[in-house]
Coordinates of all heavy atoms in Angstrom, one line a residue:
Y9 N -18.3 5.0 16.9 CA -18.8 3.8 16.2 C -20.0 4.1 15.2 O -21.1 4.5 15.6 CB -19.3 2.7 17.1 CG -19.9 1.5 16.4 CD1 -19.1 0.8 15.6 CD2 -21.2 1.2 16.7 CE1 -19.7 -0.3 14.9 CE2 -21.7 0.0 16.0 CZ -21.0 -0.7 15.1 OH -21.5 -1.8 14.5
K10 N -19.7 4.1 13.9 CA -20.6 4.4 12.9 C -20.6 3.2 11.9 O -19.5 3.1 11.2 CB -20.4 5.8 12.2 CG -20.5 6.9 13.1 CD -20.0 8.2 12.4 CE -20.1 9.3 13.3 NZ -19.0 9.4 14.3
K11 N -21.6 2.4 11.9 CA -21.5 1.1 11.1 C -21.2 1.4 9.7 O -20.4 0.7 9.1 CB -22.9 0.4 11.2 CG -23.1 -0.5 12.4 CD -24.4 -1.1 12.4 CE -24.7 -1.9 11.2 NZ -25.8 -2.7 11.3
S12 N -21.8 2.4 9.1 CA -21.6 2.6 7.7 C -20.1 3.2 7.4 O -19.8 3.3 6.2 CB -22.6 3.6 7.1 OG -22.5 4.8 7.7
E13 N -19.4 3.5 8.4 CA -18.1 4.1 8.2 C -17.0 3.1 8.8 O -15.8 3.6 8.8 CB -18.0 5.4 8.8 CG -18.8 6.5 8.3 CD -18.8 7.8 9.0 OE1 -17.8 8.0 9.8 OE2 -19.7 8.7 8.8
S14 N -17.4 1.9 9.0 CA -16.4 1.0 9.7 C -16.2 -0.2 8.9 O -17.1 -0.7 8.3 CB -16.9 0.7 11.1 OG -17.1 1.8 11.9
L15 N -14.9 -0.7 8.9 CA -14.5 -2.0 8.2 C -14.0 -2.9 9.3 O -13.0 -2.6 9.9 CB -13.5 -1.7 7.2 CG -14.0 -1.0 5.9 CD1 -12.8 -0.8 4.9 CD2 -15.1 -1.8 5.2
Y16 N -14.5 -4.1 9.4 CA -14.1 -5.2 10.3 C -12.7 -5.7 9.6 O -12.8 -6.1 8.5 CB -15.1 -6.3 10.4 CG -14.6 -7.4 11.3 CD1 -14.6 -7.3 12.7 CD2 -14.1 -8.6 10.7 CE1 -14.1 -8.4 13.5 CE2 -13.7 -9.6 11.5 CZ -13.7 -9.5 12.9 OH -13.3 -10.5 13.7
G17 N -11.7 -5.8 10.4 CA -10.4 -6.3 10.0 C -9.5 -5.3 9.4 O -8.3 -5.5 9.1
Y18 N -10.0 -4.0 9.3 CA -9.1 -2.9 8.7 C -7.9 -2.7 9.4 O -6.8 -2.5 8.8 CB -9.9 -1.7 8.7 CG -9.2 -0.5 8.1 CD1 -9.1 -0.4 6.7 CD2 -8.7 0.6 8.9 CE1 -8.4 0.7 6.2 CE2 -8.1 1.6 8.4 CZ -7.9 1.7 7.0 OH -7.3 2.8 6.5
H19 N -7.9 -2.9 10.7 CA -6.7 -2.7 11.6 C -5.5 -3.7 11.3 O -4.4 -3.5 11.6 CB -7.0 -2.7 13.0 CG -7.4 -4.0 13.6 ND1 -8.6 -4.6 13.3 CD2 -6.7 -5.0 14.2 CE1 -8.6 -5.8 13.9 NE2 -7.5 -6.0 14.4
L20 N -5.8 -4.7 10.5 CA -4.8 -5.8 10.2 C -4.1 -5.5 8.9 O -3.2 -6.2 8.5 CB -5.5 -7.1 10.2 CG -6.1 -7.6 11.6 CD1 -6.9 -8.9 11.4 CD2 -5.0 -7.7 12.6
I21 N -4.6 -4.5 8.1 CA -4.0 -4.3 6.9 C -2.8 -3.3 7.0 O -2.9 -2.2 7.6 CB -5.0 -3.6 5.9 CG1 -6.1 -4.6 5.8 CG2 -4.5 -3.3 4.5 CD1 -7.3 -4.2 4.9
P22 N -1.6 -3.6 6.4 CA -0.5 -2.7 6.4 C -0.9 -1.4 5.6 O -1.9 -1.4 4.9 CB 0.6 -3.5 5.6 CG 0.2 -4.9 5.6 CD -1.3 -4.9 5.7
D23 N -0.1 -0.4 5.8 CA -0.3 0.9 5.2 C -0.5 0.8 3.7 O -1.2 1.5 3.0 CB 0.7 1.9 5.5 CG 0.6 2.4 7.0 OD1 -0.5 2.3 7.5 OD2 1.6 2.8 7.5
R24 N 0.3 0.0 3.0 CA 0.3 -0.1 1.5 C 0.2 -1.5 1.0 O 1.2 -2.2 1.1 CB 1.7 0.6 1.0 CG 1.7 2.1 1.2 CD 3.0 2.6 0.4 NE 2.9 4.0 0.5 CZ 3.4 4.8 1.5 NH1 3.9 4.3 2.6 NH2 3.3 6.1 1.3
V25 N -1.0 -1.8 0.6 CA -1.2 -3.0 -0.1 C -2.0 -2.8 -1.4 O -2.7 -1.8 -1.5 CB -2.1 -4.1 0.8 CG1 -1.3 -4.5 2.0 CG2 -3.4 -3.5 1.1
E26 N -1.8 -3.7 -2.3 CA -2.5 -3.5 -3.7 C -3.9 -4.1 -3.7 O -4.8 -3.6 -4.5 CB -1.6 -4.0 -4.8 CG -0.4 -3.2 -5.0 CD 0.4 -3.7 -6.2 OE1 -0.2 -4.2 -7.1 OE2 1.6 -3.3 -6.3
T27 N -4.1 -5.2 -3.0 CA -5.3 -5.9 -3.0 C -5.9 -6.2 -1.7 O -5.2 -6.6 -0.7 CB -5.2 -7.3 -3.8 OG1 -4.6 -7.0 -5.1 CG2 -6.5 -7.9 -3.9
I28 N -7.2 -5.9 -1.4 CA -7.9 -6.3 -0.3 C -9.2 -7.0 -0.8 O -9.5 -6.9 -2.0 CB -8.3 -5.2 0.6 CG1 -9.3 -4.3 0.0 CG2 -7.1 -4.5 1.2 CD1 -10.0 -3.3 1.0
Y29 N -9.8 -7.9 0.1 CA -10.9 -8.6 -0.3 C -12.1 -8.0 0.6 O -12.1 -8.1 1.8 CB -10.8 -10.1 0.0 CG -9.8 -10.7 -0.9 CD1 -8.5 -10.9 -0.5 CD2 -10.2 -11.2 -2.2 CE1 -7.6 -11.4 -1.3 CE2 -9.2 -11.7 -3.0 CZ -7.9 -11.9 -2.6 OH -6.9 -12.5 -3.4
L30 N -13.1 -7.4 0.0 CA -14.3 -6.9 0.6 C -15.3 -8.0 0.8 O -15.8 -8.5 -0.2 CB -14.8 -5.7 -0.1 CG -16.0 -5.0 0.5 CD1 -15.6 -4.5 2.0 CD2 -16.5 -3.9 -0.3
C31 N -15.6 -8.3 2.0 CA -16.5 -9.3 2.3 C -17.9 -8.8 2.8 O -18.0 -7.6 3.1 CB -16.1 -10.3 3.4 SG -14.4 -11.0 3.0
E32 N -18.9 -9.6 2.8 CA -20.2 -9.2 3.3 C -20.3 -9.1 4.8 O -20.9 -8.1 5.3 CB -21.3 -10.3 2.8 CG -22.7 -9.8 3.2 CD -23.8 -10.7 2.8 OE1 -23.4 -11.8 2.2 OE2 -24.9 -10.5 3.0
G33 N -19.7 -9.9 5.6 CA -19.8 -9.8 7.1 C -18.6 -10.3 7.7 O -17.6 -10.9 7.1
Y34 N -18.4 -10.2 9.1 CA -17.3 -10.5 9.7 C -17.0 -12.0 9.8 O -15.8 -12.5 9.8 CB -17.2 -9.9 11.1 CG -18.5 -10.0 12.0 CD1 -18.8 -11.1 12.7 CD2 -19.3 -8.8 12.0 CE1 -19.9 -11.1 13.5 CE2 -20.5 -8.8 12.8 CZ -20.8 -10.0 13.4 OH -21.9 -10.0 14.3
I35 N -18.0 -12.9 9.7 CA -17.8 -14.4 9.6 C -17.1 -14.7 8.4 O -16.2 -15.5 8.3 CB -19.1 -15.1 9.8 CG1 -19.7 -14.9 11.2 CG2 -18.9 -16.6 9.6 CD1 -18.8 -15.3 12.3
D36 N -17.4 -14.0 7.2 CA -16.8 -14.2 6.0 C -15.2 -13.9 6.1 O -14.4 -14.4 5.5 CB -17.4 -13.3 4.9 CG -18.9 -13.7 4.7 OD1 -19.2 -14.9 4.6 OD2 -19.7 -12.8 4.6
V37 N -15.0 -12.7 6.8 CA -13.6 -12.3 6.9 C -12.9 -13.4 7.7 O -11.7 -13.8 7.3 CB -13.5 -11.0 7.8 CG1 -12.1 -10.7 8.2 CG2 -14.1 -9.9 6.9
L38 N -13.5 -14.0 8.8 CA -12.7 -15.0 9.5 C -12.6 -16.3 8.6 O -11.5 -16.9 8.7 CB -13.6 -15.4 10.8 CG -13.7 -14.2 11.7 CD1 -14.7 -14.7 12.9 CD2 -12.4 -13.8 12.3
S39 N -13.5 -16.6 7.8 CA -13.4 -17.8 6.9 C -12.4 -17.6 5.9 O -11.6 -18.5 5.6 CB -14.8 -18.0 6.3 OG -15.7 -18.4 7.1
M40 N -12.3 -16.4 5.2 CA -11.3 -16.2 4.3 C -9.9 -16.2 4.9 O -9.0 -16.7 4.2 CB -11.6 -14.9 3.5 CG -12.8 -15.0 2.6 SD -13.1 -13.5 1.6 CE -11.7 -13.7 0.4
D41 N -9.8 -15.6 6.0 CA -8.5 -15.6 6.7 C -8.0 -17.0 6.9 O -6.9 -17.4 6.8 CB -8.6 -14.8 8.0 CG -7.2 -14.7 8.7 OD1 -6.3 -14.1 8.1 OD2 -7.1 -15.3 9.8
A42 N -9.0 -17.9 7.4 CA -8.6 -19.3 7.7 C -8.2 -20.0 6.4 O -7.4 -21.0 6.5 CB -9.8 -19.9 8.3
K43 N -8.7 -19.7 5.3 CA -8.4 -20.2 4.1 C -7.1 -19.7 3.4 O -6.7 -20.1 2.3 CB -9.6 -20.1 3.0 CG -10.8 -20.9 3.4 CD -10.6 -22.4 3.3 CE -11.8 -23.1 3.6 NZ -11.6 -24.5 3.6
G44 N -6.5 -18.6 4.0 CA -5.2 -18.1 3.6 C -5.3 -16.9 2.7 O -4.3 -16.4 2.2
F45 N -6.5 -16.3 2.6 CA -6.6 -15.0 1.8 C -6.0 -13.9 2.6 O -6.3 -13.7 3.8 CB -8.0 -14.7 1.5 CG -8.7 -15.6 0.4 CD1 -9.2 -16.8 0.8 CD2 -8.6 -15.3 -0.9 CE1 -9.8 -17.6 -0.2 CE2 -9.2 -16.1 -1.9 CZ -9.7 -17.3 -1.5
A46 N -5.2 -13.1 2.1 CA -4.6 -11.9 2.8 C -5.5 -10.7 2.6 O -6.1 -10.5 1.6 CB -3.3 -11.6 2.1
Y47 N -5.6 -10.1 3.8 CA -6.3 -8.8 3.9 C -7.9 -8.8 3.5 O -8.3 -7.9 2.8 CB -5.6 -7.7 3.1 CG -4.1 -7.8 3.3 CD1 -3.2 -7.9 2.3 CD2 -3.6 -7.7 4.6 CE1 -1.9 -8.0 2.5 CE2 -2.3 -7.8 4.9 CZ -1.4 -8.0 3.7 OH 0.0 -8.0 4.1
P48 N -8.6 -9.7 4.2 CA -10.1 -9.6 4.0 C -10.6 -8.6 4.9 O -10.2 -8.4 6.1 CB -10.6 -11.0 4.3 CG -9.6 -11.5 5.3 CD -8.3 -11.0 4.8

């Protein structure tokens, strides 16, 4: 576990996608996912 080398939600992204959404924190990831954004 190295904070600066880790991404919350990374394990949910398929191997090949063109777009991801980089958020500030994990609550933002949960909020974007709830609103239907793919791959935050």
Side-chain angles (χ1 to χ4, degrees):
Y9 177 61
K10 297 173 183 74
K11 279 178 55 173
S12 63
E13 297 178 13
S14 302
L15 289 174
Y16 178 79
Y18 180 75
H19 69 284
L20 299 173
I21 299 174
D23 287 337
R24 290 186 168 86
V25 297
E26 292 188 21
T27 303
I28 64 168
Y29 294 94
L30 181 59
C31 303
E32 183 177 1
Y34 43 84
I35 297 300
D36 301 316
V37 170
L38 298 173
S39 298
M40 289 189 70
D41 182 67
K43 295 289 184 182
F45 288 87
Y47 314 125

